[in-house]
Amino acid sequence: MWENILKDFIYLWAVIDPVGSIPVFIAVTAGTSKVVQRKIALRAVITAGLVLILFIVGGQLLLEQLEIPLSAFQIAGGLVLFLFALTMIFGESKPEAEIEESNRVQAHQNKAVFPLAIPSIASPGAMMAVVLITDNHRFHVGEQLVATVTMLVVLLITFGFLLLAGPIQRAIGDAGASVVSRISGLILASVAVDSVLSGIKSYFEL
């Protein structure tokens, strides 16, 4: 059980990437007071959590309504996660890409939701990941609850990182955050390949 929890934690850490969200948070809260920054951080994490929980609850139901076998979703999800990981490794780093996107948004207008909550914290990869780790056919309710709690723990750590964004940014710099984001991409790529292989194995077993 603890091995699965650790695996899910690393998986979710890679796709949510708490450290990579720090430069994005600093960019969208520039010039605001600490009180406003705390409110933005809290709203962003709560919004991201609600979005991910929505995918946990409704993602499986949607698949069943469309009569899509889980093995197909595993393979597709793994491929999407792999492509997402490649952009983290070879493309613009997460902070650079999302800070650039945030500059297109009017000052302080829904910045907690976009780009901080979505797509920085609740990224497309994270949405895909929570559906895979709470699959009804592979995991019983207890295991799904544990996976959900693990996700909430990662979000809580993300919230803590955002509150400490200033000191962390000064300690590791933009380059450090970029390196961490690329390492997370490498971890995510290996997890994505494992998902594809598991989906192929499940498909042929069926």
Side-chain angles (χ1 to χ4, degrees):
M1 179 179 176
W2 287 107
E3 183 179 347
N4 291 333
I5 292 175
L6 180 60
K7 181 180 178 180
D8 288 344
F9 180 83
I10 295 174
Y11 190 7
L12 292 168
W13 183 278
V15 293
I16 294 176
D17 192 11
V19 177
S21 297
I22 291 175
V24 184
F25 176 75
I26 291 175
V28 301
T29 58
T32 61
S33 66
K34 291 185 178 180
V35 174
V36 173
Q37 289 176 9
R38 285 195 294 270
K39 289 181 179 179
I40 291 176
L42 181 60
R43 183 181 179 189
V45 171
I46 290 176
T47 302
L50 291 176
V51 169
L52 295 178
I53 289 175
L54 178 64
F55 271 81
I56 289 174
V57 174
Q60 187 78 32
L61 296 176
L62 179 62
L63 286 178
E64 292 175 353
Q65 289 297 320
L66 295 175
E67 298 183 351
I68 299 175
L70 179 68
S71 55
F73 186 75
Q74 269 188 284
I75 295 171
L79 292 175
V80 171
L81 289 176
F82 185 75
L83 293 175
F84 179 71
L86 289 181
T87 63
M88 293 174 67
I89 298 171
F90 297 110
E92 276 189 306
S93 67
K94 176 178 176 177
E96 293 167 351
E98 290 165 2
I99 288 173
E100 180 181 348
E101 187 68 25
S102 72
N103 292 332
R104 303 173 188 173
V105 184
Q106 293 182 359
H108 310 309
Q109 181 180 0
N110 296 323
K111 288 183 177 180
V113 177
F114 175 84
L116 190 53
I118 305 169
S120 184
I121 301 174
S123 64
M127 297 174 193
M128 193 75 69
V130 296
V131 175
L132 292 176
I133 66 174
T134 57
D135 170 45
N136 294 334
H137 300 293
R138 292 189 298 156
F139 307 106
H140 57 70
V141 176
E143 291 175 317
Q144 294 180 36
L145 287 176
V146 170
T148 302
V149 171
T150 303
M151 179 203 73
L152 294 176
V153 169
V154 175
L155 289 177
L156 184 61
I157 295 174
T158 303
F159 179 63
F161 277 9
L162 295 183
L163 294 182
L164 298 173
I168 293 175
Q169 177 73 2
R170 287 192 294 272
I172 67 176
D174 289 336
S178 177
V179 169
V180 171
S181 181
R182 294 182 195 283
I183 293 174
S184 297
L186 183 60
I187 295 173
L188 181 58
S190 62
V191 173
V193 171
D194 180 67
S195 176
V196 172
L197 295 177
S198 296
I200 294 174
K201 180 180 178 182
S202 299
Y203 179 80
F204 283 104
E205 284 179 352
L206 292 175

